[in-house]
Amino acid sequence: MTDAAAYFSHLECSVPCGAGPYDARGRHHLCTCGAPLLARYDLAAARQWPRQSLRDREPSMWRYRELMPVFAGESPVTLGEGFTPLLHARTLGQRLGLPRLYIKDESLNPTNSFKARGQSAAITRAKGLGVVTVSVPSAGNAGNAMAAYAARAGLAAKVFLPRDVKTPFARECVLYGADVTLVDGLITDAARLAAERGGPLGWYDVSTLKEPYRIEGKKTMGYELAEQLDWTYPDWIVYPTGGGTGMVGMWKAFDEMERIGWMTPQRRPRMVSVQATGCQPIVRAFEHGDERAAMWEGAATVADGLRVPRAIGDFLILRAVRESGGTAVAVPDADMVDGMIEIGSTEGVSAAPEGGAALAAIRRLVRDGSIKPDESVVLFNTGGALKYLDAVAGR
Ligand SMILES: *Cc1c(COP(=O)(O)O)cnc(C)c1O
């Protein structure tokens, strides 16, 4: 695979504000204007890359490596992430009146969540840049994935978690040899402390969208969906949203695939951003017609991945939802836990509360007539249930 072509060319402001472009071989975080940077590729040259070449490739996200942030001859830092199953959920679909309901089961990734995709890409790039120490503020899963890939790459890892994080998340970091700091407050407070400590020491910060490559790992979910649906789009993608890398990443993937000729520009999926009633900055901004999302005060939810009161890529999430003709939905915690059990008991899939939230959102959109019975719907189960089993205690 190391002899594959590489089309990674530069970094560009996501606004775009006009600054840059930024050198792909340099160490960059945000644009000078403060917005996230996005990796760009020579897509005109990539039209030479036929999708038939995927046929003999390994079943991981690196099967799309030509449009990943790696240079020719580089080896990715991988644990086999990606190419997760797209399961036809017949029993659950029957209950909902949706014969074409699918579950994209991201719980099967290393460290039990789709955060593995982002960290595989980020740590690959960090290693390529000669980084020694990586740091991340995390609600849980991102820290676990980062710790695992840092161990795999031989880098020192510093993880900053909210003090009230569920025990399995903190312990799993220890398992991979990471240095864990518990912080009073939320992920935003953890981010502040990580930057304060790490800045002077030159730690490489892999915070969501402050680092340009996690989104490149997450975008492979868009490539996979298209490939697994025989190069068609589903009608709906229902996605639990925290920092929004998955949402923004898939939207970017659709754009890239259309430009390299893998997909004919057609009606793209409607993107549904699912949040918790106890932390719904994107839903509120969507409903108010705002371009940016204000900080959500007093964020609280059982779904740790959704406990993100402010997202630096908020405008990119809102853009994707609106351009797609999608919507944003908030779900109470109790419905998420019901959803975990319903997914588990009907389909045998281990679902995190975030996955349960996606199910609750689908049910609501079917009831209000937004999702039609003949439409295809992909429920993103972004993580597994094991680290959240306390949530089902006594049920
Ligand atoms: C991080 C996380 C999310 C939110 O993901 P984003 O792409 O950052 O919006 C959803 N579910 C789980 C299980 C997570 O760990």
Side-chain angles (χ1 to χ4, degrees):
M1 282 299 299
T2 43
D3 57 356
Y7 300 113
F8 180 34
S9 62
H10 63 282
L11 291 162
E12 188 178 81
C13 177
S14 57
V15 171
C17 73
Y22 297 83
D23 173 17
R25 293 188 185 264
R27 186 167 159 163
H28 302 290
H29 283 88
L30 296 173
C31 180
T32 50
C33 76
L37 293 175
L38 296 175
R40 296 299 183 199
Y41 302 83
D42 184 348
L43 296 177
R47 293 184 72 90
Q48 304 300 314
W49 179 36
R51 65 187 193 196
Q52 290 78 356
S53 69
L54 297 173
R55 222 174 300 146
D56 309 320
R57 297 231 173 147
E58 76 275 32
S60 91
M61 71 173 198
W62 292 100
R63 65 201 276 105
Y64 311 107
R65 66 166 290 154
E66 280 88 338
L67 291 182
M68 295 288 283
V70 280
F71 297 109
E74 266 184 349
S75 302
V77 180
T78 178
L79 291 162
E81 56 291 324
F83 221 66
T84 55
L86 182 68
L87 302 166
H88 189 185
R90 286 191 185 80
T91 309
L92 190 54
Q94 204 160 34
R95 280 198 185 187
L96 289 158
L98 290 177
R100 296 164 69 207
L101 176 67
Y102 296 86
I103 298 175
K104 182 68 171 159
D105 190 10
E106 292 292 298
S107 74
L108 296 179
N109 278 301
T111 74
N112 254 201
S113 87
F114 69 162
K115 292 291 194 302
R117 296 177 187 262
Q119 296 296 352
S120 174
I123 299 298
T124 293
R125 210 56 263 125
K127 192 178 173 200
L129 290 166
V131 164
V132 176
T133 303
V134 282
S135 71
V136 76
S138 167
N141 279 322
N144 291 165
M146 190 271 244
Y149 287 92
R152 183 92 171 140
L155 308 184
K158 312 280 182 186
V159 180
F160 292 77
L161 299 167
R163 189 173 302 283
D164 63 355
V165 70
K166 294 174 184 59
T167 310
F169 290 109
R171 292 198 176 144
E172 192 174 344
C173 290
V174 173
L175 189 71
Y176 301 126
D179 182 30
V180 177
T181 305
L182 298 177
V183 183
D184 291 320
L186 297 174
I187 184 170
T188 34
D189 302 291
R192 198 173 318 118
L193 187 68
E196 262 168 40
R197 290 246 181 106
L201 298 171
W203 297 350
Y204 185 80
D205 182 355
V206 294
S207 297
T208 302
L209 286 171
K210 286 184 191 159
E211 181 281 340
Y213 304 113
R214 280 172 63 182
I215 182 179
E216 295 302 295
K218 292 271 193 86
K219 84 177 178 190
T220 57
M221 297 188 293
Y223 281 82
E224 284 177 26
L225 273 187
E227 186 178 355
Q228 290 174 321
L229 291 169
D230 202 14
W231 306 107
T232 62
Y233 289 132
D235 294 308
W236 294 85
I237 290 177
V238 182
Y239 183 88
T241 308
T245 45
M247 196 74 153
V248 177
M250 281 191 278
W251 199 244
K252 184 173 188 280
F254 300 150
D255 190 58
E256 288 172 356
M257 285 190 289
E258 288 168 13
R259 294 222 226 159
I260 64 172
W262 282 16
M263 297 295 283
T264 46
Q266 52 188 286
R267 178 148 183 68
R268 287 199 199 166
R270 293 180 196 273
M271 309 291 280
V272 180
S273 173
V274 184
Q275 298 202 300
T277 46
C279 181
Q280 45 167 315
I282 298 295
V283 177
R284 180 174 62 186
F286 178 77
E287 288 174 352
H288 291 183
D290 297 338
E291 203 182 322
R292 304 291 309 243
M295 173 93 163
W296 187 268
E297 300 295 337
T301 169
V302 64
D304 300 80
L306 306 187
R307 203 164 59 141
V308 181
R310 183 169 50 202
I312 187 167
D314 53 0
F315 63 103
L316 299 170
I317 303 169
L318 287 159
R319 227 186 250 173
V321 171
R322 290 190 175 119
E323 281 178 17
S324 76
T327 188
V329 176
V331 172
D333 279 13
D335 292 3
M336 297 183 199
V337 178
D338 289 348
M340 293 170 74
I341 294 170
E342 194 172 4
I343 293 170
S345 60
T346 54
E347 299 294 344
V349 168
S350 171
E354 291 86 343
L359 173 56
I362 292 171
R363 179 164 275 130
R364 182 162 343 147
L365 294 171
V366 169
R367 284 201 180 136
D368 77 12
S370 303
I371 298 180
K372 309 283 187 294
D374 60 331
E375 291 182 316
S376 57
V377 179
V378 174
L379 181 162
F380 261 91
N381 182 40
T382 47
L386 288 180
K387 298 180 217 182
Y388 309 78
L389 284 181
D390 284 353
V392 298
R395 303 275 294 226

